[in-house]
């Protein structure tokens, strides 16, 4: 039987769409958002995937929201909860409930540039290489064991929009790749490091340089 995931989104849902179209050996049991107008919800519904909204504004504390979100997720009994552009900080209780079952994509080469506006941060820092990271979630924001990273060049004249689009194209590739490894039982925790097929591998995120426009 295919392992089951629930995807959490807050908006556009392009990573979710990439996961849905990747023909993974995974059942996407539901897509849940904290924003009723998240465009990704329509796309999921159009593919016959159950959707739900848990609006954070209806709760007075983070813990109450997280408890309601957890309740909504657990109705689908997922083996993995996949954060795909889910823009809420999660409480330690929530993270502990999904220990080793909560995975995220972040638009930077962590541990560089945690938090928001990662492309702006990268341009301000003048880095020449930027990228994205798939990692398991721990209660330290934008940290946690790395599964795969992809790097892109930062080019002269880059804007946040250009850099973000370049990174996003790589996000769509590595998130599906990480989920395929997970579904195939190929990810193993070695203390705080994730090994693929029992080894520390670094083949997943490296790509040929994109042509300079
Ligand atoms: C993606 O770039 C994702 O990495 C980022 O939000 C965007 C969502 O786009 N996530 C974070 O910043 C989480 N800290 P999408 O809705 O089109 O997938």
């Amino acid at each position: 039987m295919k392992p089951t995931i629930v995807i959490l989104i807050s908006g556009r849902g392009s990573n979710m769409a990439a996961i849905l179209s990747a023909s993974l050996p995974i059942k996407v049991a539901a897509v849940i958002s904290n924003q009723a107008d998240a465009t990704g919800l329509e796309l999921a519904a159009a593919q016959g995937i159950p959707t739900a909204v848990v609006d954070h504004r209806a709760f007075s504390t983070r813990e109450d929201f997280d408890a309601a979100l957890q309740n909504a997720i657990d109705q689908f009994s997922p083996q993995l909860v996949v954060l795909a552009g889910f823009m809420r900080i999660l409480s330690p209780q929530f993270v502990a409930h999904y220990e080793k079952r909560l995975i995220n994509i972040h638009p930077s080469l962590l541990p560089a540039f945690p938090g928001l506006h990662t492309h702006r941060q990268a341009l301000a820092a003048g880095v020449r290489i930027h990228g994205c990271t798939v990692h398991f979630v721990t209660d330290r924001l934008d940290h946690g064991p790395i599964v795969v990273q992809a790097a892109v060049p930062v080019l002269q004249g880059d804007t946040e929009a250009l850099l973000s689009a370049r990174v996003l194209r790589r996000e769509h590739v590595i998130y599906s790749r990480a989920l395929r490894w997970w579904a195939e039982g190929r990810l193993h925790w070695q203390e705080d490091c994730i090994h693929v097929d029992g080894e520390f591998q670094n083949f997943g995120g490296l790509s040929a340089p994109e042509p300079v426009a």
Side-chain angles (χ1 to χ4, degrees):
M1 214 166 66
K2 289 181 185 174
T4 298
I5 67 172
V6 166
I7 302 177
L8 304 190
I9 63 169
S10 292
R12 177 177 59 181
S14 72
N15 275 289
M16 177 209 73
I19 292 164
L20 294 181
S21 61
S23 301
L24 299 173
I26 284 174
K27 178 180 177 198
V28 180
V31 173
I32 300 175
S33 178
N34 62 311
Q35 301 277 7
D37 60 354
T39 48
L41 286 175
E42 286 170 37
L43 202 146
Q47 299 203 20
I49 296 168
T51 62
V53 174
V54 184
D55 186 340
H56 60 278
R57 286 162 296 204
F59 300 88
S60 51
T61 68
R62 186 181 301 286
E63 288 68 27
D64 286 350
F65 166 68
D66 283 3
L69 181 63
Q70 184 179 313
N71 189 37
I73 294 169
D74 287 351
Q75 293 185 25
F76 298 96
S77 307
Q79 274 103 51
L80 189 71
V81 177
V82 175
L83 306 179
F86 187 68
M87 306 305 281
R88 298 292 306 166
I89 293 174
L90 296 162
S91 61
Q93 295 92 318
F94 183 95
V95 172
H97 179 72
Y98 297 107
E99 192 187 3
K100 299 190 177 179
R101 294 194 295 136
L102 190 56
I103 196 166
N104 181 45
I105 189 156
H106 184 78
S108 77
L109 291 173
L110 290 173
F113 312 132
L116 297 174
H117 308 302
T118 56
H119 311 302
R120 196 184 305 170
Q121 291 187 59
L123 289 171
V127 296
R128 277 17 180 210
I129 296 174
H130 185 42
C132 47
T133 304
V134 175
H135 67 101
F136 281 95
V137 175
T138 61
D139 56 14
R140 205 167 147 213
L141 180 68
D142 294 332
H143 280 75
I146 290 170
V147 178
V148 61
Q149 295 185 304
V152 302
V154 181
L155 304 176
Q156 187 171 343
D158 262 350
T159 60
E160 264 183 88
L162 285 170
L163 189 53
S164 149
R166 195 175 304 128
V167 170
L168 192 65
R169 284 197 292 278
R170 303 304 298 154
E171 293 187 38
H172 295 164
V173 174
I174 66 168
Y175 216 177
S176 296
R177 189 169 302 187
L179 293 176
R180 184 179 297 281
W181 287 334
W182 169 80
E184 292 173 349
R186 294 165 66 186
L187 297 184
H188 300 283
W189 292 65
Q190 306 284 335
E191 313 232 328
D192 280 340
C193 186
I194 303 292
H195 288 190
V196 183
D197 294 332
E199 290 177 29
F200 182 93
Q201 300 230 21
N202 195 7
F203 57 78
L206 299 177
S207 58
E210 293 184 14
V212 177

